[in-house]
Amino acid sequence: MNKMKRTIIAFLTIILSVSIVFTGCSKSKKPERTLVLGLDNNFPPMGYLDDKGNLVGFDIDVAKEVCKRLNYELKLQPINWLLKQQELDSGNVDCLWNGYTITEERLRDNLITEPYMKNRQILVVKSDSKIKSLDDMTGKKLGLQAGSSAEDALNASQDFKNKLGSVLQYDDNTAALMDLVAGGCDAVLIDEVVALHYVKTEPKCNVLDVSLADEEYGIAFRKSDKELCEAIEKTLKEMAADGTLAKISTEWFGRDVTIIK
């Protein structure tokens, strides 16, 4: 009987030890926090809905890897990009990470990481358009997304803006480009990365190699979230150093377009 008791006790001890080990592993895998990422879901290839309704994009893939390394749970939160600052200030999202252009005004309002990618504001026209330069836009109708960096770039280029016949604002870039194809406007002022992605599958449109503004993308946080901003920036630099960022970039753009070191 004593031998049997010792066997049972030994068995229970093993079970208890294994249980403790697995419990410890479970606790270590619990996310440190949830990162709510605010994005415009009509901004390919940075963040958008694919044909199956899934949120995909370069920024999303990078964010997933960052959160994996930091042990964060990632929540993707589509927002009205025109109200992005209110969404961030109110706490509805923790960051704005979707081709977010760094400007002096935005630097005053938010904490922003070091730039991780360059961009330009360029024109998309129909393939049969006679518009070949910015000067050819005199008296023409220009389309752009309301509240976007394209609008900021236009407002900062008053000489060009004054030449235009009119400026049409749209809820998102997709709507602007669709109206261009339909003949509703003569050109769309848009982020180059979005334009190059769009014309791959739209033979009716061309990208003009003219820039109204050169820009850089960063990730915006509330002023009070310095620790979070620094953690994500540090992780991006680690990903750049070990080649992960270049790998993700090549998958989306065919080459490494990132600039953070």
Side-chain angles (χ1 to χ4, degrees):
M1 182 65 70
N2 289 338
K3 184 177 179 180
M4 183 177 292
K5 284 184 177 180
R6 286 197 299 271
T7 302
I8 293 173
I9 291 171
F11 178 74
L12 291 175
T13 301
I14 292 171
I15 295 297
L16 181 61
S17 299
V18 171
S19 176
I20 291 172
V21 169
F22 276 99
T23 301
C25 291
S26 177
K27 287 183 178 178
S28 67
K29 290 183 179 180
K30 183 179 180 181
E32 295 290 331
R33 62 164 294 159
T34 297
L35 180 74
V36 183
L37 186 156
L39 75 154
D40 172 2
N41 64 6
N42 267 310
F43 198 72
M46 309 306 283
Y48 64 102
L49 290 169
D50 66 11
D51 294 337
K52 297 180 180 179
N54 300 313
L55 278 168
V56 297
F58 169 73
D59 276 338
I60 291 175
D61 282 353
V62 174
K64 286 179 178 178
E65 179 62 23
V66 167
C67 287
K68 178 182 175 182
R69 295 187 181 207
L70 289 172
N71 193 27
Y72 292 171
E73 179 182 354
L74 177 63
K75 179 181 178 182
L76 301 172
Q77 182 62 58
I79 59 173
N80 182 340
W81 201 244
L82 186 61
L83 303 176
K84 56 188 173 295
Q85 191 61 50
Q86 294 95 309
E87 293 281 355
L88 184 63
D89 291 341
S90 67
N92 288 340
V93 299
D94 296 316
C95 64
L96 301 172
W97 189 345
N98 192 210
Y100 183 86
T101 300
I102 301 172
T103 67
E104 290 300 323
E105 180 182 0
R106 290 174 177 179
L107 284 168
R108 288 193 297 270
D109 293 337
N110 307 307
L111 286 177
I112 304 179
T113 62
E114 289 183 22
Y116 63 89
M117 188 172 168
K118 289 186 177 180
N119 180 56
R120 300 191 301 168
Q121 290 298 327
I122 54 87
L123 293 180
V124 176
V125 297
K126 293 184 70 172
S127 301
D128 58 358
S129 174
K130 294 181 179 179
I131 298 170
K132 306 298 180 184
S133 68
L134 295 178
D135 289 337
D136 294 338
M137 284 298 296
T138 301
K140 303 295 185 181
K141 292 182 288 185
L142 178 71
L144 52 77
Q145 179 179 355
S148 66
S149 53
E151 185 176 8
D152 294 337
L154 180 62
N155 291 333
S157 306
Q158 284 299 319
D159 288 344
F160 173 68
K161 185 176 182 179
N162 292 337
K163 293 177 182 178
L164 299 171
S166 60
V167 177
L168 306 179
Q169 296 192 344
Y170 300 86
D171 290 338
D172 54 59
N173 287 309
T174 301
L177 291 166
M178 288 177 63
D179 199 36
L180 171 67
V181 173
C185 59
D186 299 299
V188 172
L189 183 63
I190 191 172
D191 295 66
E192 184 174 35
V193 292
V194 179
L196 292 175
H197 183 270
Y198 180 76
V199 298
K200 285 181 181 178
T201 56
E202 182 46 82
K204 295 180 181 179
C205 292
N206 283 336
V207 172
L208 296 187
D209 190 19
V210 293
S211 174
L212 193 65
D214 293 339
E215 303 173 342
E216 294 177 326
Y217 288 157
I219 307 160
F221 301 84
R222 288 179 289 275
K223 291 279 190 178
S224 58
D225 284 337
K226 183 178 180 181
E227 185 176 342
L228 177 61
C229 178
E230 290 178 345
I232 289 180
E233 181 178 273
K234 180 175 180 289
T235 306
L236 284 175
K237 290 182 177 181
E238 291 171 352
M239 290 168 58
D242 66 25
T244 304
L245 203 55
K247 182 176 181 292
I248 296 173
S249 177
T250 302
E251 289 172 354
W252 280 98
F253 303 106
R255 59 191 176 91
D256 184 14
V257 299
T258 60
I259 59 175
I260 194 167
K261 302 297 181 184

